[in-house]
Amino acid sequence: MPGNRLEWARLVCWVALGVCLFAAVGALTTLSDRPEVEPWKAWTWALTSAATALPCTFICLYAVRHASPAEWGWPRAAGLHAMAALVYTLLHVGGFVLLRKLVYAAMGDSYGAGPLLEEFPYELRKDLLTYGALVILFWLAGDRQRRVREPAPPATFEIRDGARRLRVPVRDIVAVSSAGNYVEFRLEDGRRPLMRATLASIEAALGAQGLIRVHRAWVIHPARVTALAPDGSGDWTVQLGDLAVPLSRRFPQALAALRAGSVPEAT
C-alpha cells in the first residue's frame, strides 16, 4: 500500500499522541483507584507500556502495507496478521517488563511481573484489541490516500455515427464542424465520424468540458490550439496542428479565452 510519507508521518504522530494521553489517563486512574500505589510506580507502569507500544505500532503499519487481503487472500492475510499481532504482544510485553525492571532497580526496588501463564493472556487480550484498532486505522488512512491519488476517469462523449455508438474521450476531440444536418468530429487519431445533430447542441453538450465556439461552423478544443494568426478585419485563423480553423470577430470571447491560455500568435 504505497502512500504519501508526510501523511503517514502525521498519522503516526497522532497515534503517538493518543498513546501518550492514554498512558497519562491510565496512570491517573491507577492512582485514583489504588491510593496505596506509590505515584512513581503508577507512572512507570503507564509510561513503560507507552514507550514500548510506540515502536510496536510500526509492526501494525508494516502488516497493513504487506498483508493485504486483495493480494494474499483473506485466509493467508488473516494468518499473517495473527502472527504480526503475536509479535506485537511479545515485543510490547517483553519491552515494558525490561524497562520496569530497570526503573525499579534504579529506585532501589525490584519489579515482579507475576506468573507468566496468568499475566500473558491478560496482556495478549489487550494487545489484540489495540492491534486490531491500529490495523483498521492504518487501513482506512491508506484507503483514503489511494482514493485521493487515483485520477478521475477522463470525460467521454458518445458520438452516434449512424448505427454505431462511438464513445471517445473529450480530450481526443480536436474540433467539430457543421456539415448540413450533421456535425463532423475531428479526432486526434485522424478519424472524422459524422453525427446527426446541430452544432449548437454540440456546443451546449461539450461547453462544460472546455470546448468553445469560434465560428458559426466550428467548435474547437482550446487545449489542441497550437497557434493564432490574424487575418485582418478582426478575423483570425486558429491552428490545431495540421488543421486550420477560422475564428470570427463575432466571437471575441473565444479569442480572449485563447489568448488567456497563452497560445502563440503568428505575425
Side-chain angles (χ1 to χ4, degrees):
M1 181 192 303
N4 183 285
R5 291 183 178 180
L6 180 59
E7 290 296 326
W8 283 118
R10 287 174 178 170
L11 180 59
V12 169
C13 288
W14 280 110
V15 170
L17 178 61
V19 169
C20 292
L21 290 175
F22 185 79
V25 171
L28 295 173
T29 301
T30 299
L31 292 172
S32 174
D33 295 342
R34 300 173 60 185
E36 74 280 3
V37 174
E38 297 177 71
W40 72 268
K41 288 184 178 180
W43 285 103
T44 296
W45 300 341
L47 294 178
T48 53
S49 180
T52 50
L54 287 177
C56 289
T57 298
F58 289 94
I59 297 174
C60 304
L61 179 57
Y62 184 86
V64 171
R65 290 168 64 95
H66 297 284
S68 168
E71 297 178 8
W72 292 85
W74 280 103
R76 292 183 66 187
L80 290 170
H81 278 289
M83 289 189 291
L86 181 59
V87 171
Y88 176 96
T89 302
L90 289 171
L91 292 177
H92 180 220
V93 174
F96 72 62
V97 168
L98 177 60
L99 289 178
R100 289 173 189 179
K101 285 183 176 294
L102 293 174
V103 174
Y104 270 61
M107 297 294 292
D109 202 340
S110 62
Y111 176 74
L116 179 62
L117 292 179
E118 293 180 11
E119 297 296 332
F120 187 75
Y122 169 74
E123 297 295 340
L124 178 61
R125 287 193 298 270
K126 290 198 305 180
D127 282 353
L128 284 177
L129 291 174
T130 303
Y131 178 89
L134 288 172
V135 164
I136 293 172
L137 176 64
F138 287 140
W139 184 85
L140 290 174
D143 184 62
R144 175 180 173 275
Q145 288 189 25
R146 282 195 304 273
R147 282 186 287 177
V148 168
R149 289 193 308 273
E150 288 176 358
T156 59
F157 183 77
E158 185 178 80
I159 301 174
R160 298 183 295 278
D161 186 3
R164 287 194 309 158
R165 296 292 184 269
L166 184 64
R167 185 168 290 278
V168 299
V170 173
R171 66 190 179 198
D172 290 348
I173 300 174
V174 177
V176 188
S177 61
S178 177
N181 293 329
Y182 292 81
V183 291
E184 183 180 49
F185 289 81
R186 308 294 181 95
L187 303 183
E188 182 185 25
D189 59 10
R191 289 179 295 170
R192 298 170 65 170
L194 290 170
M195 175 176 170
R196 190 176 182 87
T198 64
L199 197 62
S201 67
I202 298 301
E203 179 188 7
L206 294 176
Q209 304 299 329
L211 275 72
I212 58 175
R213 186 81 169 263
V214 295
H215 189 271
R216 62 182 178 83
W218 286 92
V219 169
I220 67 167
H221 199 313
R224 298 292 180 179
V225 176
T226 54
L228 282 171
D231 292 339
S233 302
D235 292 331
W236 294 70
T237 294
V238 182
Q239 202 69 36
L240 303 103
D242 296 332
L243 177 65
V245 172
L247 191 160
S248 172
R249 60 182 176 274
R250 297 179 180 177
F251 295 87
Q253 71 281 2
L255 178 61
L258 293 179
R259 281 178 160 174
S262 301
V263 178
E265 296 184 14
T267 58

